[in-house]
Amino acid sequence: MLPGTLKTMGRAPRADFVVDAALVSRVHCRFVLNDTGALELEDLGSTNGTFVNGKKVERVTLNNGDKLTVGRVQFVVSAAAEARAAGTNTTLSS
């Protein structure tokens, strides 16, 4: 992702990251890479909430190792060491 890029996660086919699972809203949350290279997460009014490290969040900056939960699906935020230094590449894995 480039700074300013926006990506969505949800059950709908139009979401950038499709999570076809119970308790996930059609467009559940979105990710934005800010100007400093930090990955921000924002809940988009989902019915069942968005959780980071077990806490319900509306908006948060994600860090390496954070656990993101949407519905019953959990993802771990991961950044390669060289990408973290450059602030350019953060990934999610389930």
Side-chain angles (χ1 to χ4, degrees):
M1 288 176 58
L2 297 173
T5 304
L6 175 103
K7 299 288 183 183
T8 58
M9 177 181 279
R11 216 179 57 242
R14 69 178 182 196
D16 296 298
F17 304 110
V18 177
V19 181
D20 188 16
L23 307 178
V24 177
S25 294
R26 280 179 239 130
V27 183
H28 197 99
C29 58
R30 71 177 170 193
F31 302 91
V32 177
L33 190 64
N34 70 21
D35 292 337
T36 65
L39 185 62
E40 297 176 349
L41 168 73
E42 181 180 1
D43 182 84
L44 296 175
S46 65
T47 302
N48 295 298
T50 301
F51 295 81
V52 174
N53 300 324
K55 295 181 182 177
K56 189 173 184 178
V57 298
E58 296 297 320
R59 181 180 214 133
V60 66
T61 298
L62 295 171
N63 296 299
N64 191 44
D66 281 348
K67 293 179 178 138
L68 164 64
T69 305
V70 292
R72 293 185 180 141
V73 181
Q74 188 173 78
F75 300 89
V76 178
V77 178
S78 175
E82 63 277 0
R84 274 198 310 271
T88 58
N89 189 14
T90 304
T91 61
L92 293 173
S93 60
S94 60

